[in-house]
């Protein structure tokens, strides 16, 4: 991570498959007693903290996506998570703190989808997996994508430094891998960053513009079939347009 942004840490919060009831129970336990420093927390208390924070962040995605940062209130955010407003203040300080946590969580999950981009990776498999992972995130976390899109449309006031430094550095590393594939004759000579821009636009449209997709397709809701066909088409366009070859052949 860039030293200038060392104080900004991406946090990938997850309930690890916990049921909503389990998370709510954890949130209830978490407000019965004050917490000491994190170093002094018992393991069970630390687990409750993580579950509660993950639950609040997940619930906040929808509120921020629908109301925007300015339109969301701490009361609405607390109601969405079904916890006292004091809990939200306790874990995140204020609305801006929770908003940043939501954005950080979105980016952490998105960046993790490129983990399989390695120098010895098969380009066809790596790009296909990346595309399908991005479409899957549009399917499972559409509000997260919309929060991010709203932030960008407003000039990225909370993310400008991160985008210009850490995100750029991360994808420059992935771009070098794509250039290695090009040098090996495994795909056309393309500009890697612009390839990523195209993939982001195509995959995230299944979250950001799902209302348009539903209307044009004449369906009431997004289905697994819609996402599957979308992922298939994007994969076909990227692999075909870039003349990607499998390293295994």
């Amino acid at each position: 991570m860039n030293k200038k942004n060392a104080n900004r840490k991406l946090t990938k919060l997850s309930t690890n498959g916990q049921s909503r009831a389990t998370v709510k129970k954890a949130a209830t336990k978490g407000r019965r007693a004050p917490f000491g420093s994190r170093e002094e927390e018992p393991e069970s208390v630390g687990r409750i903290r993580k579950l509660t924070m993950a639950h609040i962040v997940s619930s906040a995605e929808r509120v921020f996506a629908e109301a925007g940062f300015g339109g969301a209130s701490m009361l609405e955010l607390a109601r969405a998570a079904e916890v006292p407003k004091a809990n939200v203040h306790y874990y995140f300080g204020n609305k801006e703190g929770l908003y940043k946590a939501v954005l950080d969580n979105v980016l952490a999950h998105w960046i993790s989808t490129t983990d399989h981009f390695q120098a010895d990776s098969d380009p066809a498999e790596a790009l296909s997996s990346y595309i399908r992972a991005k479409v899957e995130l549009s399917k499972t976390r559409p509000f997260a994508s919309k929060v991010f899109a709203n932030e960008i449309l407003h000039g990225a006031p909370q993310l400008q430094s991160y985008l210009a430094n850490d995100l750029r550095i991360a994808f420059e590393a992935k771009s070098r891998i794509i250039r290695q594939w090009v040098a090996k004759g495994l795909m056309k000579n393309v500009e890697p960053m612009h390839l990523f821009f195209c993939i982001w636009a195509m995959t995230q449209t299944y979250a950001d513009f799902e209302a348009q997709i539903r209307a044009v397709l004449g369906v009431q809701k997004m289905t697994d079939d819609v996402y599957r066909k979308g992922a298939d088409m994007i994969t076909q366009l990227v692999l075909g347009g870039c003349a990607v070859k499998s390293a295994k052949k």
Side-chain angles (χ1 to χ4, degrees):
M1 181 171 287
N2 189 287
K3 291 183 178 179
K4 294 181 179 179
N5 296 283
N7 62 333
R8 184 181 185 89
K9 296 180 180 179
L10 291 180
T11 304
K12 190 175 179 182
L13 297 171
S14 172
T15 57
N16 296 318
Q18 297 289 334
S19 67
R20 181 175 178 82
T22 300
V23 174
K24 286 177 66 179
K25 182 178 180 181
T28 301
K29 287 183 179 179
R31 67 172 185 264
R32 286 179 178 169
F35 290 100
S37 67
R38 294 196 178 187
E39 290 75 17
E40 297 173 350
E41 287 180 352
E43 183 178 350
S44 59
V45 175
R47 179 174 176 274
I48 289 172
R49 177 190 290 276
K50 291 179 181 179
L51 283 172
T52 304
M53 292 179 71
H55 173 62
I56 294 173
V57 166
S58 178
S59 301
E61 284 182 1
R62 181 166 191 158
V63 178
F64 284 129
E66 295 179 341
F69 176 76
S73 70
M74 288 294 277
L75 181 59
E76 288 176 304
L77 291 163
R79 284 175 175 171
E82 299 182 4
V83 299
K85 188 168 68 170
N87 274 40
V88 183
H89 282 292
Y90 174 78
Y91 288 111
F92 300 97
N94 53 31
K95 183 172 71 170
E96 183 175 348
L98 177 53
Y99 182 63
K100 287 181 178 179
V102 170
L103 290 172
D104 285 351
N105 187 238
V106 172
L107 287 166
H109 280 82
W110 283 0
I111 290 176
S112 70
T113 60
T114 65
D115 288 347
H116 52 272
F117 265 74
Q118 304 298 328
D120 58 351
S121 297
D122 181 87
E125 292 181 358
L127 286 167
S128 297
S129 296
Y130 179 57
I131 290 167
R132 294 189 185 283
K134 289 289 279 93
V135 171
E136 182 66 18
L137 283 176
S138 288
K139 171 187 172 182
T140 58
R141 297 184 62 188
F143 294 114
S145 183
K146 291 175 182 177
V147 171
F148 181 81
N150 286 337
E151 169 72 8
I152 298 300
L153 288 172
H154 285 83
Q158 300 292 340
L159 288 177
Q160 190 59 51
S161 178
Y162 174 80
L163 295 175
N165 292 283
D166 299 82
L167 188 67
R168 178 175 59 81
I169 291 171
F171 277 91
E172 280 181 345
K174 302 305 177 183
S175 293
R176 285 194 292 273
I177 293 173
I178 290 179
R179 291 191 180 96
Q180 290 177 25
W181 293 339
V182 171
K184 293 177 181 178
L186 296 175
M187 61 187 294
K188 285 183 178 179
N189 186 12
V190 299
E191 173 48 51
M193 285 293 195
H194 288 280
L195 175 59
F196 281 119
F197 297 156
C198 290
I199 293 174
W200 296 347
M202 288 190 287
T203 56
Q204 288 162 221
T205 196
Y206 285 87
D208 302 340
F209 296 97
E210 56 90 14
Q212 173 180 272
I213 293 173
R214 285 190 289 103
V216 173
L217 292 179
V219 297
Q220 292 186 340
K221 66 177 183 179
M222 300 289 282
T223 63
D224 290 344
D225 188 58
V226 171
Y227 292 110
R228 180 184 58 77
K229 288 181 177 178
D232 288 345
M233 175 56 68
I234 297 169
T235 301
Q236 181 180 340
L237 290 173
V238 171
L239 298 190
C242 296
V244 179
K245 301 175 184 177
S246 175
K248 296 179 179 180
K249 293 182 179 180

